[in-house]
């Protein structure tokens, strides 16, 4: 049985609409976090993702109901102009608490991902205050906009002594959806920032994003 993680980025206080639509189509519960958009004006006109509060909705769905869940969410958002975006990423090692005998098998999905992937989600975790710098560098390299989520580190004081780095509990996570062909240029622009020259100041990783969909009315 294969699973995917469905991610929707929509205006604040609209996450429940996405979660309820998904549940009506057979999905289980989800998780909603809050972030803020950083889209430029051009992307704002296209997607409505400006410098405003956002809900980020995470829902694990089975492969066989993905299309049904997508249709339910698209229908729920169809009357709202420039409502947000939705995409999925692979979850090859999904295990539910209380269901340890279940094993996800995405071997077939990985082949589909290679054939259909057009977008990458770049994830940047940095010390608080540097996400905007990372976004500015990414935008110069061709990115449109991203979403910043507040976070905190979990390192202990002993870790600081062992690794020789300062512990900065307050973190920011920047999520940027980009066309796959622009990924390398944007990554190189981000890691060239001075804030990444200091050990322990941040990390960057990527996920292949599938099924990219713009939610809401297109005009």
């Amino acid at each position: 049985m294969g699973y995917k993680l469905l991610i929707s980025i929509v205006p604040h206080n609209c996450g429940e609409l996405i979660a309820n639509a998904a549940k009506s189509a057979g999905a289980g519960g989800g998780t909603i976090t809050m972030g803020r958009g950083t889209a430029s004006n051009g992307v704002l006109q296209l997607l409505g993702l400006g410098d405003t509060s956002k809900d980020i909705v995470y829902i694990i769905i089975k492969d066989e109901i993905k299309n049904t869940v997508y249709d339910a969410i698209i229908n729920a958002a169809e009357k709202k102009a420039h409502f947000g975006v939705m995409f999925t990423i692979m979850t090859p090692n999904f295990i539910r608490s209380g269901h340890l005998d279940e094993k996800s098998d995405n071997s077939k999905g990985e082949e589909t991902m290679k054939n259909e992937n057009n977008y990458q989600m770049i994830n940047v975790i940095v010390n608080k205050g540097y996400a905007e710098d990372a976004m500015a560098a990414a935008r110069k390299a061709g990115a449109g906009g991203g979403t910043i989520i507040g976070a905190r580190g979990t390192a202990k004081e002993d870790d600081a002594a062992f690794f020789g780095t300062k512990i900065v509990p307050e973190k920011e996570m920047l999520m940027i959806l980009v066309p796959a062909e622009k990924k390398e240029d944007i990554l190189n622009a981000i890691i060239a920032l001075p804030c990444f020259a200091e050990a322990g100041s941040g990390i960057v990783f990527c996920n292949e994003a599938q099924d990219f969909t713009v939610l809401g009315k297109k005009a």
Side-chain angles (χ1 to χ4, degrees):
M1 181 183 298
Y3 291 87
K4 288 186 177 180
L5 174 62
L6 186 152
I7 301 176
S8 298
I9 303 174
V10 295
H12 183 44
N13 292 327
C14 293
E16 290 290 345
L17 182 148
I18 300 296
N20 290 338
K23 285 190 286 187
S24 73
T31 300
I32 301 174
T33 63
M34 193 172 79
R36 57 189 175 89
T38 65
S40 61
N41 287 337
V43 178
L44 175 62
Q45 293 174 0
L46 176 63
L47 301 180
L49 299 177
D51 293 312
T52 56
S53 295
K54 299 293 173 185
D55 279 355
I56 304 99
V57 187
Y58 303 88
I59 305 171
I60 292 286
I61 57 174
K62 297 177 181 178
D63 282 338
E64 58 261 34
I65 67 168
K66 188 264 295 182
N67 290 338
T68 302
V69 172
Y70 252 62
D71 289 344
I73 293 174
I74 290 170
N75 290 336
E78 65 180 353
K79 295 182 180 180
K80 300 179 181 296
H82 308 303
F83 192 58
V85 296
M86 173 172 60
F87 57 96
T88 62
I89 60 175
M90 302 298 292
T91 56
N93 298 306
F94 173 61
I95 300 173
R96 292 189 294 166
S97 59
H99 298 77
L100 301 184
D101 57 331
E102 292 183 357
K103 293 184 179 179
S104 59
D105 180 7
N106 276 340
S107 56
K108 295 181 181 179
E110 289 173 359
E111 184 63 31
T112 301
M113 177 177 66
K114 293 177 183 177
N115 294 334
E116 296 180 356
N117 174 56
N118 293 312
Y119 284 84
Q120 293 273 332
M121 183 171 71
I122 299 176
N123 305 272
V124 184
I125 300 176
V126 289
N127 294 336
K128 186 176 181 180
Y130 289 103
E132 292 286 357
D133 293 341
M135 186 66 246
R139 187 174 285 127
K140 288 181 180 179
T147 301
I148 297 173
I149 305 170
R152 61 184 178 85
T154 61
K156 306 184 299 292
E157 291 182 7
D158 289 346
D159 294 334
F162 181 77
F163 291 109
T165 60
K166 295 182 292 184
I167 298 300
V168 181
E170 295 300 315
K171 303 287 183 182
E172 291 176 329
M173 181 173 178
L174 171 64
M175 301 165 54
I176 314 171
L177 267 174
V178 301
E181 64 270 17
K182 294 184 178 181
K183 183 191 75 171
E184 291 301 325
D185 288 342
I186 293 169
L187 279 177
N188 290 335
I190 292 172
I191 63 178
L193 288 170
C195 64
F196 275 95
E198 182 180 350
S201 62
I203 60 173
V204 182
F205 61 96
C206 300
N207 300 104
E208 292 176 296
Q210 294 180 278
D211 312 308
F212 179 78
T213 303
V214 177
L215 296 173
K217 293 185 292 186
K218 306 302 186 292

